[in-house]
Amino acid sequence: MTSSRNAVWAFGLAFAVLFVLSCAGSQNLGADEPNAGARAEAFVDPLPSWNDNATKARIVDFVRAVRDPDDPAFVEPSRRIATFDNDGTLWVEQPMYAEMAFALHRVKELAKVHPEWKTQQPFKAVIEGDKDALLASGHRGLAEIIMASHSGMSARLFDTIATEWVRDARHPKFEQPYTELVYQPQIELLRYLEANGFKTFIVSGGSVEFMRTFTEQVYAIPPERVVGSSIETRYELQGGKPTLLRLPEVAFVDDKAGKPVGIYKHIGQRPILAFGNSDGDFEMLQWTTTGSGGARLGVILHHDDAEREYAYDRESRVGKLDRALDAAAQSGWLIVSMKNDWNTVFAEE
Amino acid sequence: MTSSRNAVWAFGLAFAVLFVLSCAGSQNLGADEPNAGARAEAFVDPLPSWNDNATKARIVDFVRAVRDPDDPAFVEPSRRIATFDNDGTLWVEQPMYAEMAFALHRVKELAKVHPEWKTQQPFKAVIEGDKDALLASGHRGLAEIIMASHSGMSARLFDTIATEWVRDARHPKFEQPYTELVYQPQIELLRYLEANGFKTFIVSGGSVEFMRTFTEQVYAIPPERVVGSSIETRYELQGGKPTLLRLPEVAFVDDKAGKPVGIYKHIGQRPILAFGNSDGDFEMLQWTTTGSGGARLGVILHHDDAEREYAYDRESRVGKLDRALDAAAQSGWLIVSMKNDWNTVFAEE
């Protein structure tokens, strides 16, 4: 009888494993059945790279409350929208946004067929690596660099160029591809939220087409769940072939007050969780956490880990965190300390 | 020993049932396992409102081929994007787009606080029901009516107003809510595609926020999978309260050559199936069916059923189908005849 009982358990276990494996890709795993998630949590910590402290507890408590139909914090699965900034929230943004490094690289490549750039700012500054002159060119110079590197070609060609750069470029400090410099705790958090019925989105100031060259591979977030800045694009026939032509004109800036607008237009629902790391995320956090009906959570990643990554906030030119840091306390936004709350930073550490 | 074995099987069965039930909500049910779908099809026709003829066979063959890894037409589940026009493709668009009826109703309501409209075109024409004067006001008049009815209010207020109109309005011919006038065969097709690993999207010239008031309830397509035209929107604090303010300026027109652009910006992938019904869908069909790598299918719904719905094409002011009808033969687009290919038109017939 004992061995038969063991056989019974072995069968049960085998099916349970099959069940967990088979559903691992499902967005709504157990979303409507709180017990299933509770059972799974008893076996495996879904956030192993997060230290077991008050920060992690607040996130786990929020998720538990949101999926408990008897809790006033409950939110229907279809309304569980979570938005994440990209640069500095999901991957490294120092010493320069990856997309900016791409743009500078691209300008240097294009300079070969633009000899006039040798004497023309801001291109001269880029070619000569003259940081001061580049900064002096200001927003207008930056816009010129972005347009020169991002437009005047088909969508397909841009995708190829950006994909190759992302594959080949190396981060100046870590000497690894940027795609290796994504934060492991955030990957765990994305999957944890999805396993609890959330739909996850990236909402970034970066250009949506640049991000989509790596977001599916790196974050397992499909293209339609990436919201970003964009330039004007025109559909036309080129030699009889349908083509999307990227034009040198900004269509939408998905940063600061643009983030709630981008969310409204693209996602069509107010998030219940927003995760950012800079003042560019202020309005997204504000919009998210002032919503009504169930719990809301705003989270800010504080880069305070010079040893494993970088330490910066109020004074930084890239990813400045000042206004949002001041607002966090009175708004109830959760501050995540990279140094104290994450036991692992990068996936490959 | 026999009873123990039975217990083993009972356990196994219980877990198997649990497994199937738990995964039933998954978008990709059976997407990677062709046999599961084949088995299901043997029991239940997923398209009962479609007559069993060559039109239906072409759709079913396309879906079968796309999910067969051994077929050159195979497409990875993550690339199975299907886009559907809304007006005239998923619901009735005659004698006037529902959104246009909403706009005219709204102008009449607003006229109570705009006495000056009594002498001012195009508003005078709307108030007096003067169809000729309305038509004479042209595109500019139309734009004024759209802006007056769609902007100058918060996103929340617009949502409330549009939701109430959709709930209360009745179609002039069928005397039912517009939401009852969705095409049953298309609902079946949406579910059939999703059950076969497709991600379905609405891509319409209508405004995205108007559509989202009913698309989830009526088509079971969530807000983020609805792509449409939009107006400029500004995030601001009103009395300290975060608000999205709808401005009287067009941001994007998701019609004609705008559809591939809207798809590119929002979905980020080229569809493999597009379903439309008018010349406004020409470029979406062209963009979809000239893609490479696996099968592509363009489909046009031909309204040739005056008895059950409407019969119109080349001469119609609403939903004109002329250029796309000419292009269908040489492009290999499938023409669906409402009269001959659908045994049921509306869900509640």
Side-chain angles (χ1 to χ4, degrees):
Chain A
M1 222 8 217
T2 310
S3 71
S4 297
R5 234 183 237 165
N6 286 346
V8 169
W9 283 110
F11 251 84
L13 188 64
F15 272 97
V17 168
L18 181 67
F19 161 65
V20 169
L21 290 177
S22 300
C23 290
S26 165
Q27 283 196 0
N28 292 310
L29 170 59
D32 295 310
E33 208 238 306
N35 289 339
R39 275 204 307 275
E41 276 166 34
F43 293 112
V44 183
D45 177 359
L47 301 172
S49 300
W50 291 73
N51 290 324
D52 288 317
N53 61 19
T55 302
K56 179 174 181 170
R58 180 133 176 242
I59 293 172
V60 171
D61 282 352
F62 168 78
V63 170
R64 184 206 50 72
V66 153
R67 54 181 285 174
D68 178 357
D70 298 326
D71 197 304
F74 176 74
V75 178
E76 290 289 345
S78 64
R79 302 288 163 247
R80 292 180 203 158
I81 303 294
T83 53
F84 285 74
D85 169 57
N86 182 43
D87 296 304
T89 298
L90 294 179
W91 77 352
V92 170
E93 67 181 350
Q94 293 285 358
M96 181 192 287
Y97 299 125
E99 189 167 4
M100 193 63 209
F102 161 72
L104 297 181
H105 170 85
R106 184 78 194 132
V107 163
K108 284 180 203 160
E109 288 289 307
L110 287 169
K112 294 169 190 167
V113 291
H114 284 282
E116 74 278 12
W117 285 359
K118 278 185 193 136
T119 57
Q120 192 180 320
Q121 294 295 13
F123 305 110
K124 182 171 184 283
V126 176
I127 295 163
E128 295 172 355
D130 184 344
K131 216 169 164 181
D132 291 336
L134 189 57
L135 285 173
S137 74
H139 281 291
R140 178 183 291 254
L142 183 69
E144 280 190 71
I145 289 164
I146 293 291
M147 285 311 156
S149 54
H150 283 64
S151 74
M153 70 196 92
S154 72
R156 181 192 286 256
L157 181 57
F158 179 78
D159 184 66
T160 302
I161 291 168
T163 300
E164 287 181 357
W165 183 86
V166 168
R167 182 195 65 200
D168 297 337
R170 295 294 177 271
H171 185 276
K173 173 175 169 178
F174 295 105
E175 297 174 344
Q176 289 187 60
Y178 287 86
T179 47
E180 299 288 318
L181 301 175
V182 303
Y183 305 134
Q184 174 63 16
Q186 300 291 60
I187 302 293
E188 293 167 9
L189 181 55
L190 288 169
R191 296 297 92 75
Y192 173 60
L193 292 170
E194 289 159 7
N196 284 281
F198 282 76
K199 282 180 195 161
T200 57
F201 292 84
I202 294 172
V203 177
S204 167
S207 87
V208 65
E209 293 87 13
F210 180 79
M211 287 191 284
R212 283 173 177 159
T213 63
F214 60 85
T215 41
E216 186 156 32
Q217 169 210 334
V218 169
Y219 307 127
I221 292 185
E224 74 273 12
R225 298 215 314 266
V226 181
V227 183
S229 300
S230 62
I231 61 174
E232 295 293 348
T233 304
R234 187 171 67 220
Y235 179 79
E236 61 178 31
L237 298 184
Q238 289 192 348
K241 209 174 139 69
T243 304
L244 289 167
L245 184 64
R246 295 171 57 86
L247 307 174
E249 195 182 334
V250 172
F252 182 69
V253 178
D254 190 56
D255 198 29
K256 300 191 173 69
K259 287 203 176 191
V261 175
I263 290 168
Y264 174 58
K265 291 192 176 187
H266 190 115
I267 305 175
Q269 291 193 71
R270 199 156 172 170
I272 67 165
L273 184 154
F275 206 134
N277 79 294
S278 78
D279 286 355
D281 302 308
F282 180 90
E283 287 85 356
M284 175 170 79
L285 289 160
Q286 184 182 55
W287 175 243
T288 299
T289 56
T290 52
S292 59
R296 297 292 181 271
L297 185 62
V299 196
I300 293 174
L301 175 61
H302 190 195
H303 293 263
D304 56 1
D305 196 334
E307 199 177 314
R308 294 187 298 177
E309 200 236 17
Y310 291 94
Y312 60 99
D313 47 34
R314 297 183 193 276
E315 304 301 325
S316 181
R317 273 189 301 106
V318 171
K320 180 179 178 176
L321 175 64
D322 186 33
R323 185 182 174 213
L325 199 55
D326 289 337
Q330 69 185 74
S331 302
W333 299 341
L334 176 65
I335 305 280
V336 170
S337 158
M338 182 178 277
K339 188 173 180 178
N340 300 322
D341 297 331
W342 288 1
N343 60 57
T344 304
V345 175
F346 301 121
E348 302 289 358
E349 221 168 31
Chain B
M1 220 9 216
T2 309
S3 72
S4 297
R5 233 184 237 166
N6 287 346
V8 168
W9 284 109
F11 252 83
L13 188 65
F15 273 97
V17 169
L18 182 68
F19 159 67
V20 170
L21 289 177
S22 300
C23 291
S26 164
Q27 281 197 2
N28 292 311
L29 171 57
D32 294 310
E33 209 235 305
N35 289 340
R39 274 203 308 274
E41 276 166 34
F43 294 110
V44 184
D45 177 0
L47 301 172
S49 300
W50 292 73
N51 289 325
D52 288 316
N53 61 18
T55 302
K56 179 174 181 170
R58 177 131 178 243
I59 293 172
V60 171
D61 282 351
F62 168 78
V63 171
R64 184 206 50 72
V66 153
R67 53 180 286 174
D68 178 357
D70 297 326
D71 197 303
F74 177 73
V75 178
E76 290 288 345
S78 63
R79 302 289 161 248
R80 292 180 203 157
I81 303 296
T83 54
F84 285 73
D85 170 56
N86 182 45
D87 296 305
T89 298
L90 295 179
W91 78 352
V92 169
E93 67 181 351
Q94 293 285 358
M96 181 193 286
Y97 299 126
E99 188 167 5
M100 194 62 211
F102 161 74
L104 296 181
H105 171 86
R106 184 79 194 132
V107 163
K108 285 179 201 159
E109 288 289 306
L110 287 168
K112 295 168 190 167
V113 293
H114 284 282
E116 75 278 12
W117 285 359
K118 278 184 194 137
T119 57
Q120 192 181 320
Q121 295 294 15
F123 305 110
K124 182 172 182 286
V126 176
I127 296 162
E128 296 172 356
D130 183 344
K131 217 170 163 181
D132 290 336
L134 189 58
L135 284 172
S137 75
H139 281 291
R140 181 183 289 252
L142 183 70
E144 279 189 72
I145 289 164
I146 293 291
M147 285 310 158
S149 54
H150 283 64
S151 73
M153 70 197 93
S154 72
R156 181 192 286 255
L157 181 56
F158 178 78
D159 183 66
T160 302
I161 291 168
T163 299
E164 287 181 356
W165 183 86
V166 169
R167 183 195 63 201
D168 298 337
R170 295 294 177 271
H171 186 275
K173 172 175 171 179
F174 296 104
E175 297 175 344
Q176 289 188 60
Y178 288 85
T179 47
E180 299 288 318
L181 301 174
V182 303
Y183 305 134
Q184 174 63 17
Q186 300 291 57
I187 302 293
E188 292 168 8
L189 181 55
L190 289 169
R191 296 299 91 77
Y192 173 59
L193 292 170
E194 290 158 5
N196 284 281
F198 281 76
K199 282 182 194 158
T200 57
F201 292 84
I202 294 171
V203 177
S204 167
S207 87
V208 65
E209 293 87 12
F210 180 79
M211 287 191 283
R212 283 173 178 159
T213 64
F214 59 85
T215 41
E216 185 156 32
Q217 170 210 334
V218 170
Y219 307 127
I221 292 185
E224 74 273 12
R225 299 216 313 265
V226 182
V227 183
S229 299
S230 62
I231 61 174
E232 295 291 347
T233 305
R234 188 171 65 220
Y235 179 80
E236 62 179 31
L237 297 184
Q238 288 191 348
K241 208 172 140 68
T243 303
L244 288 167
L245 184 65
R246 295 170 58 85
L247 307 174
E249 195 183 333
V250 172
F252 182 69
V253 179
D254 190 56
D255 198 27
K256 299 192 173 72
K259 287 203 175 190
V261 175
I263 290 168
Y264 173 57
K265 290 191 177 187
H266 190 114
I267 305 175
Q269 291 193 70
R270 200 157 172 169
I272 67 166
L273 184 154
F275 206 135
N277 78 294
S278 78
D279 286 355
D281 302 308
F282 179 91
E283 287 84 355
M284 175 169 79
L285 289 160
Q286 184 181 55
W287 175 241
T288 298
T289 56
T290 50
S292 59
R296 297 290 181 274
L297 185 62
V299 196
I300 292 175
L301 176 60
H302 191 195
H303 293 263
D304 56 2
D305 196 333
E307 199 177 314
R308 295 187 297 176
E309 201 236 17
Y310 292 94
Y312 61 99
D313 46 35
R314 297 183 193 275
E315 304 301 325
S316 180
R317 273 191 301 106
V318 171
K320 179 179 179 176
L321 175 64
D322 186 31
R323 185 183 174 211
L325 199 54
D326 288 337
Q330 71 184 72
S331 303
W333 300 341
L334 177 65
I335 306 280
V336 170
S337 157
M338 181 178 277
K339 188 174 180 178
N340 300 322
D341 297 330
W342 289 0
N343 60 57
T344 305
V345 175
F346 301 121
E348 302 290 359
E349 224 167 31

